[in-house]
Amino acid sequence: MSTRARWAAVVLVLAVAGVVALWPRPSEPVDTGPVSTRQAPDVGLARERAALQPCAPPPRDQDQQAAGDVGPAALRGLEVTCLGDGARVDVASALPGRAVVNFWATWCVPCQEELRVLDAYAQEPGSVPVLTVLVDSKEGDGLELLAKLGVHLPSVHDPDDRLRKALSPPPRTPVTYVVGAEGALSLVSDPLVLTTVEQVREVVG
């Protein structure tokens, strides 16, 4: 075999080897790059874990029924989502008498302490109802945080900020209001954050 023929054979062998090496193998997985493991919370499962109290108020007594709607006038007709079951609820109808309304967000650290305090207050005999309003946060994230904190208060989600716009509270979080017997709303400004059950009793009066 001539030198030229030997070199031609070598080139042919190398070419075949290269094709075989590069040929795709069906059994090998295809690397599509890194995939994020962060997924949005499952709202249904988050609701089960949170086990929140219902947003609907208990049946009103005869005096309240005779008086008609006694919820805050500024909130009448505003519907939000009840975090406990996903149903739509009229905020004013959920506050038929004296109550505490607390605005909070998942990113707000002071809110977490205040939520625990409000939950402890609500479990005391003679306490007025407490309704918390989740703002500036996703529904699933709010449910997960409540489950983590062990807070089971009736809670609603206000993603469109309709409630805060109706009340025009100061630009801070948390914000707490006390609802009077006739539906009047009083902003709690001292203290700005409720850190003890005793403070809640004092502002409720």
Side-chain angles (χ1 to χ4, degrees):
M1 180 182 294
S2 66
T3 301
R4 179 178 297 179
R6 283 198 298 270
W7 278 111
V10 170
V11 171
L12 179 61
V13 171
L14 292 175
V16 172
V19 171
V20 172
L22 296 176
W23 195 265
R25 293 169 174 77
S27 60
E28 294 181 357
V30 178
D31 184 8
T32 57
V35 177
S36 174
T37 58
R38 171 64 177 166
Q39 296 180 351
D42 185 300
V43 175
L45 292 176
R47 280 202 181 97
E48 292 182 11
R49 288 193 294 267
L52 302 182
Q53 298 173 19
C55 297
R60 296 190 292 178
D61 58 33
Q62 293 182 353
D63 292 338
Q64 288 176 316
Q65 291 177 5
D69 292 330
V70 293
L75 302 181
R76 290 176 189 168
L78 294 180
E79 288 192 349
V80 290
T81 301
C82 178
L83 284 177
D85 57 12
R88 300 292 289 177
V89 59
D90 183 283
V91 180
S93 66
L95 301 168
R98 296 178 65 226
V100 173
V101 180
N102 174 257
F103 291 83
W104 65 284
T106 55
W107 47 262
C108 168
V109 176
C111 295
Q112 299 183 28
E113 179 181 9
E114 189 167 75
L115 285 169
R116 289 192 181 100
V117 169
L118 291 172
D119 189 65
Y121 163 77
Q123 297 178 42
E124 291 193 338
S127 63
V128 303
V130 177
L131 179 71
T132 77
V133 183
L134 174 64
V135 296
D136 297 335
S137 310
K138 294 181 179 179
E139 183 178 3
D141 293 338
L143 286 164
E144 285 196 338
L145 180 57
L146 290 173
K148 179 180 178 181
L149 297 175
V151 171
H152 306 288
L153 293 169
S155 304
V156 297
H157 186 212
D158 184 26
D160 299 326
D161 230 15
R162 298 178 65 198
L163 301 188
R164 284 199 298 186
K165 290 176 181 177
L167 299 178
S168 299
R172 57 178 170 82
T173 309
V175 173
T176 301
Y177 286 88
V178 174
V179 183
E182 300 302 322
L185 285 156
S186 300
L187 175 67
V188 177
S189 57
D190 184 19
L192 294 178
V193 179
L194 299 165
T195 58
T196 67
V197 173
E198 289 73 19
Q199 289 178 338
V200 182
R201 294 198 206 103
E202 289 177 2
V203 299
V204 170

